Amino acid sequence: SYLCDNDGGDVEDQIVGRYLEVEFPIFPDADGTAFAVSQSEEDVRCHSLGIILYELFSHIAPLPDEGRAGVKKCSIKEDGPTTQLNNDFSRESAHQRKKTKLSDYTAFVTKENTFGHQAVEESQETPCSAFQRTPYFPLIELRFPSSVCLLIRNLLECQSDNDNRPDDAYDSLETVSKDLHLLLLDPNRFLFDRKPTPENGYIQLMYRKHKLYGRENEVSKMTDAFCRVSGGKSEAFFIGGFSGSGKSRLVNSLTARVDVSDGYVITHKFDQISKERPLLEIILVFNDLCLLVRKKRSQHDLLAIFNELMEVFGADFSMLAQLLPNIEAISPNLDRSNHAKEVGDRMNFRSVCFILQRFMRVVSTKSHPVMLFLDDIQWCDDSALSLIEGIICGGSSCLFFVGSYRSNEVRDNHALFSLIDGLNSSGVPTTKLSLEGLTPNDLNTMISDAMCMFPRICENLSDIVFQKTKGNPFFVLEFLRSLADGALLEYSAKKRRWVWDEDRISAMDVMNNVLALLSSKMSGLSESTQQFLKVASCFGIRMKESVVEYLSKSPEYSSIQSGLEHVIAEGFMIKVETSDFKFVHDKVREAAYSLIPDSKKNDYHFSLGMALYSMTKGKNSMDDIVFSVADQVNYGIDDSLVESAELRLDFAELNEMAGATAVNGSDYRVARSYLNIALSLLPTDHWRSRYHRSLELFFLLAKSTYSCGDMKKAQGILQEILEESRCMEDKLPAYFLQV
């Protein structure tokens, strides 16, 4: 038991307790072995312990003398006040601990009982007649913690008739011991009553945000793999599972350890909206690694890295600088302007792969291993995964690659499995895990923690939740939230604990679909909040702050800032880094996207694109969101929504700008896609009416096609340039590329 000091002070001073030892003697057989205790005898023991604890807390005898025969079989030892440190009683209090054996149902009473109630003032054995002889009085009405009241009540219920025995009555002292250990080891969650939150005045479910339930074996395997990488080898780790099974949470449990061990953690999450440019996004991840190296290393270390890079790359260092502009963070005196054009003309997929291989050999070391985590790689194409394979198999040491994917959304011919086969063939140690739903026991522990109640009390609710969710962690969380929102799970101020309606919860038809739960919740939000959810979902898992700022200037989306604040308050999105907003889970984004009817999705995207384009046209600040604008507009182009000739030329320029940006980032496949769209928007007489635009566009397209390895197509484009060019000066770049 504990005494909580609310007057402040150190945490150690706020939890004061009294040590109580209860002994239940076991009489051995003739050969000295203890015999098993029958259920009836176990009930007597539990009931006797309940009486002892009840009188200890209340100073009220709940039963007449003749009803306490079983109590005489036990004795209790009680120590003076001690301070509980580190969840054990290994340190003595300032007062000398006293121990007194009590028999024949006597109790040792001090001047003040466990929770401060005034008691008998002698430190001596006092017969039970010293307690008030009154009828049983519920401890909860004396304002004791509800968990203590429940524990004692369930103990006292142990000698009820079988027909009238409550379901929550204890069945053994072992179960009692488990509950007592929860009170002891985590008093803030299981002992002390919860207080309403200042924000809304309600008691809320108390989730353990950083605890992984039922994944101990997987965490161990992944940690062991990283330790091997720290020894000088590269490894790959693949985690499959349904959406919401906890793949990202599992990986994130390791990132803090990598960071502490002076390693580098670089991550990226793919999504369905941006699945056409995964290669560019992977290159950007390695570009971010340069900033991370700058942040974690000393000036002396940076100079050593720079010198080693110069030694490895030599004259090709400018190619590295072109591919990873943030290399300037490591070598600030680098001048790339003289080599940019030359490098751009000879960069292709193979050179990109070779450059990153050599870069990683220098940056990733035993003392500074690199962990690369790519989430949802089912949206990756074969070129992006081929790049990853090339980097891992290209001699990079101390690289720990982790890839997660939705196992139910990849077919047998997906490039992911070619990557795994390729790594195995190259001798790279590869581990493949599959995450299933939580077991009923782990799920019960999770719900017990959230409601701050003993696990045995939550079992009936947990069984229902397991049937509805199949143990999917994210589905479980959303299902519990929906129960709380619908008042099927609510905190009872009278009982000071959570209560629920099992019949109504069992009757719910959730169709094993978390999207239905989330969509239903979103549909009840304000119009501005729903509008922002729809807008944000159109841009994928992340949305740039600059996009929000531009849209808020448009009359159609003027309330978007207010919607953003409500979306964050509802917990659907969070702000990450300095300028992005991110959905907390891809299923949340999918639910928000489902708010837009399928028949109107293209129109909705195009409307967003038009609003952004009108706010950014002619501005240099458009560079950081050019992909976002082009992607939205292109939904309308695909659906033949653009009929104005002037607007078609504008969008051709927009797609050319996006293509050029992709070329600068060495993602030629994406560049080719944007440039082909731009070409389709030009008028049929574009060589005559838009000569210079056609010349630039065709040359970029030829360069991208060549870098993608389609030599025949590239030659055809170059030939058209040579035929339509008006002078030798315009033909020279095409001749140079042909050579």
Side-chain angles (χ1 to χ4, degrees):
S1 58
Y2 297 86
L3 171 64
C4 183
D5 179 7
N6 295 321
D7 296 331
D10 296 335
V11 174
E12 294 178 350
D13 296 333
Q14 294 179 4
I15 302 179
V16 180
R18 195 180 302 276
Y19 178 76
L20 175 68
E21 182 178 317
V22 180
E23 296 179 351
F24 291 92
I26 300 259
F27 299 101
D29 290 335
D31 59 359
T33 59
F35 60 85
V37 179
S38 66
Q39 185 60 54
S40 60
E41 289 174 315
E42 192 76 349
D43 288 345
V44 170
R45 291 174 163 213
C46 292
H47 184 71
S48 301
L49 179 59
I51 294 174
I52 294 170
L53 293 177
Y54 181 86
E55 293 196 1
L56 177 66
F57 283 108
S58 69
H59 285 191
I60 299 174
L63 298 171
D65 290 338
E66 59 273 15
R68 294 199 295 266
V71 179
K72 295 181 181 180
K73 298 180 182 178
C74 68
S75 64
I76 51 178
K77 298 175 183 178
E78 183 180 359
D79 295 348
T82 62
T83 301
Q84 186 241 344
L85 303 176
N86 299 324
N87 290 331
D88 61 55
F89 292 91
S90 61
R91 297 174 58 178
E92 301 287 341
S93 68
H95 300 288
Q96 170 113 14
R97 295 178 62 187
K98 297 198 251 175
K99 191 176 286 187
T100 305
K101 174 148 184 173
L102 303 180
S103 58
D104 296 328
Y105 194 58
T106 60
F108 177 73
V109 187
T110 58
K111 291 183 179 181
E112 189 174 287
N113 74 0
T114 309
F115 283 86
H117 297 285
Q118 196 65 32
V120 181
E121 296 189 358
E122 289 124 348
S123 295
Q124 61 181 12
E125 290 188 356
T126 306
C128 59
S129 58
F131 295 103
Q132 303 175 30
R133 295 314 181 105
T134 61
Y136 172 78
F137 197 80
L139 288 177
I140 198 166
E141 296 185 18
L142 297 177
R143 307 305 299 170
F144 287 100
S146 58
S147 57
V148 174
C149 301
L150 180 64
L151 184 146
I152 295 175
R153 189 183 75 203
N154 293 161
L155 285 169
L156 294 174
E157 293 170 342
C158 286
Q159 279 195 312
S160 303
D161 296 336
N162 289 335
D163 294 339
N164 299 320
R165 182 188 179 97
D167 293 336
D168 293 339
Y170 282 104
D171 57 2
S172 69
L173 285 175
E174 182 181 359
T175 306
V176 180
S177 177
K178 292 178 181 178
D179 288 353
L180 288 173
H181 273 84
L182 289 175
L183 299 179
L184 172 69
L185 299 176
D186 196 353
N188 288 326
R189 184 175 295 270
F190 291 103
L191 175 58
F192 304 127
D193 287 336
R194 300 283 309 285
K195 294 182 179 180
T197 57
E199 293 81 8
N200 53 27
Y202 294 103
I203 303 291
Q204 296 182 332
L205 293 169
M206 188 175 172
Y207 299 105
R208 293 188 190 268
K209 295 182 180 179
H210 303 292
K211 180 173 180 179
L212 278 174
Y213 295 90
R215 305 299 189 202
E216 294 80 10
N217 184 48
E218 290 82 359
V219 170
S220 177
K221 288 183 178 181
M222 191 164 59
T223 303
D224 291 344
F226 175 71
C227 289
R228 292 191 295 270
V229 169
S230 300
K233 292 185 177 181
S234 291
E235 285 202 25
F237 207 92
F238 295 90
I239 306 173
F242 282 63
S243 177
S245 59
K247 301 182 293 295
S248 302
R249 288 286 305 277
L250 174 62
V251 178
N252 291 336
S253 68
L254 180 65
T255 55
R257 304 180 192 180
V258 176
D259 189 62
V260 169
S261 65
D262 280 335
Y264 307 115
V265 180
I266 49 177
T267 66
H268 183 72
K269 183 178 179 66
F270 298 102
D271 62 75
Q272 191 172 8
I273 296 294
S274 61
K275 65 180 180 179
E276 291 185 356
R277 51 177 186 270
L279 184 62
L280 177 61
E281 293 174 354
I282 290 177
I283 294 173
L284 291 176
V285 169
F286 286 101
N287 193 39
D288 291 340
L289 176 59
C290 299
L291 300 179
L292 193 57
V293 172
R294 169 76 178 183
K295 179 181 178 181
K296 300 194 67 172
R297 304 295 285 272
S298 66
Q299 287 295 330
H300 180 268
D301 292 338
L302 292 176
L303 181 60
I305 293 173
F306 173 71
N307 290 334
E308 189 173 356
L309 287 172
M310 288 296 296
E311 182 179 349
V312 169
F313 282 91
D316 291 336
F317 190 87
S318 55
M319 297 182 69
L320 172 65
Q322 179 71 11
L323 184 65
L324 305 178
N326 286 340
I327 199 68
E328 291 181 348
I330 300 175
S331 50
N333 297 324
L334 177 69
D335 182 10
R336 295 184 292 113
S337 59
N338 295 331
H339 306 280
K341 186 177 187 303
E342 175 189 352
V343 169
D345 289 343
R346 56 194 176 97
M347 188 85 76
N348 55 36
F349 177 82
R350 289 183 178 180
S351 59
V352 168
C353 185
F354 186 48
I355 289 170
L356 291 178
Q357 285 175 356
R358 291 186 287 172
F359 172 70
M360 290 301 295
R361 288 174 198 161
V362 175
V363 174
S364 59
T365 62
K366 289 183 180 180
S367 56
H368 300 281
V370 175
M371 175 179 174
L372 170 61
F373 172 41
L374 299 181
D375 197 2
D376 280 338
I377 56 177
Q378 73 271 3
W379 302 122
C380 272
D381 59 14
D382 54 354
S383 63
L385 294 178
S386 294
L387 178 62
I388 294 298
E389 181 180 354
I391 294 172
I392 299 174
C393 299
S396 297
S397 62
C398 304
L399 173 61
F400 185 40
F401 172 72
V402 182
S404 70
Y405 61 96
R406 299 184 190 178
S407 53
N408 60 314
E409 296 186 19
V410 291
R411 297 181 179 178
D412 294 339
N413 61 348
H414 194 280
L416 163 65
F417 300 110
S418 297
L419 169 61
I420 296 175
D421 292 340
L423 294 175
N424 286 325
S425 300
S426 300
V428 177
T430 304
T431 305
K432 186 178 176 183
L433 287 182
S434 179
L435 293 188
E436 305 297 336
L438 299 179
T439 65
N441 185 59
D442 291 327
L443 175 58
N444 187 49
T445 302
M446 179 181 179
I447 293 177
S448 166
D449 286 349
M451 298 196 297
C452 305
M453 295 173 62
F454 297 134
R456 62 185 179 84
I457 303 297
C458 308
E459 286 181 350
N460 290 341
L461 175 61
S462 298
D463 289 343
I464 299 173
V465 174
F466 182 81
Q467 293 172 8
K468 301 290 184 182
T469 65
K470 306 304 179 187
N472 182 286
F474 183 73
F475 196 176
V476 169
L477 293 176
E478 292 305 321
F479 185 61
L480 290 176
R481 291 189 180 105
S482 70
L483 295 181
D485 292 341
L488 298 181
L489 173 65
E490 56 186 349
Y491 188 84
S492 170
K494 181 179 180 180
K495 295 182 178 180
R496 285 183 278 152
R497 52 163 283 189
W498 289 88
V499 295
W500 53 88
D501 190 327
E502 290 185 14
D503 293 336
R504 292 178 61 191
I505 296 174
S506 297
M508 290 181 65
D509 182 14
V510 296
M511 299 177 293
N512 195 28
N513 188 353
V514 69
L515 287 180
L517 287 177
L518 290 169
S519 300
S520 176
K521 182 177 181 179
M522 292 175 179
S523 299
L525 300 175
S526 66
E527 184 176 344
S528 63
T529 305
Q530 288 191 56
Q531 182 192 44
F532 183 83
L533 284 169
K534 289 188 236 180
V535 168
S537 69
C538 290
F539 293 93
I541 199 73
R542 295 169 76 115
M543 184 181 188
K544 291 182 177 294
E545 188 173 32
S546 54
V547 171
V548 178
E549 292 174 354
Y550 281 125
L551 286 176
S552 64
K553 298 175 183 177
S554 171
E556 187 178 355
Y557 302 100
S558 58
S559 63
I560 196 172
Q561 287 282 4
S562 173
L564 169 61
E565 294 174 2
H566 285 92
V567 166
I568 293 177
E570 290 288 340
F572 293 124
M573 296 186 76
I574 56 174
K575 188 167 186 178
V576 292
E577 299 172 355
T578 57
S579 59
D580 287 359
F581 299 97
K582 178 182 176 182
F583 282 99
V584 295
H585 196 275
D586 46 8
K587 281 297 181 185
V588 177
R589 190 208 71 81
E590 291 176 27
Y593 196 56
S594 71
L595 296 176
I596 309 173
D598 290 340
S599 60
K600 297 182 179 180
K601 278 185 167 62
N602 282 358
D603 290 346
Y604 202 91
H605 280 284
F606 184 68
S607 175
L608 278 173
M610 287 296 295
L612 279 173
Y613 185 71
S614 63
M615 292 293 108
T616 58
K617 183 179 180 181
K619 297 182 180 179
N620 294 330
S621 56
M622 183 182 181
D623 292 345
D624 66 324
I625 62 169
V626 62
F627 292 129
S628 299
V629 180
D631 289 345
Q632 302 304 313
V633 165
N634 289 345
Y635 277 92
I637 293 175
D638 293 341
D639 221 25
S640 302
L641 297 178
V642 184
E643 297 179 355
S644 166
E646 182 179 356
L647 202 56
R648 290 177 68 85
L649 287 175
D650 285 346
F651 290 161
E653 182 181 0
L654 173 64
N655 277 277
E656 182 184 353
M657 187 185 306
T661 303
V663 167
N664 291 335
S666 302
D667 193 339
Y668 298 102
R669 179 170 297 193
V670 169
R672 188 179 180 182
S673 174
Y674 285 119
L675 294 171
N676 277 320
I677 293 175
L679 183 61
S680 70
L681 292 170
L682 293 179
T684 54
D685 64 341
H686 59 86
W687 279 112
R688 181 179 59 82
S689 61
R690 295 289 184 273
Y691 174 74
H692 292 291
R693 171 60 48 78
S694 300
L695 193 64
E696 293 175 4
L697 183 56
F698 266 72
F699 182 75
L700 278 175
L701 183 58
K703 179 180 172 182
S704 300
T705 305
Y706 167 77
S707 297
C708 289
D710 192 345
M711 307 302 294
K712 184 177 180 180
K713 183 69 175 178
Q715 287 294 332
I717 298 172
L718 289 173
Q719 186 61 38
E720 186 170 352
I721 294 175
L722 295 175
E723 292 175 358
E724 299 292 344
S725 295
R726 297 175 180 176
C727 62
M728 180 58 67
E729 183 179 0
D730 292 343
K731 295 181 180 181
L732 285 177
Y735 281 128
F736 179 80
L737 193 59
Q738 276 187 328
V739 175

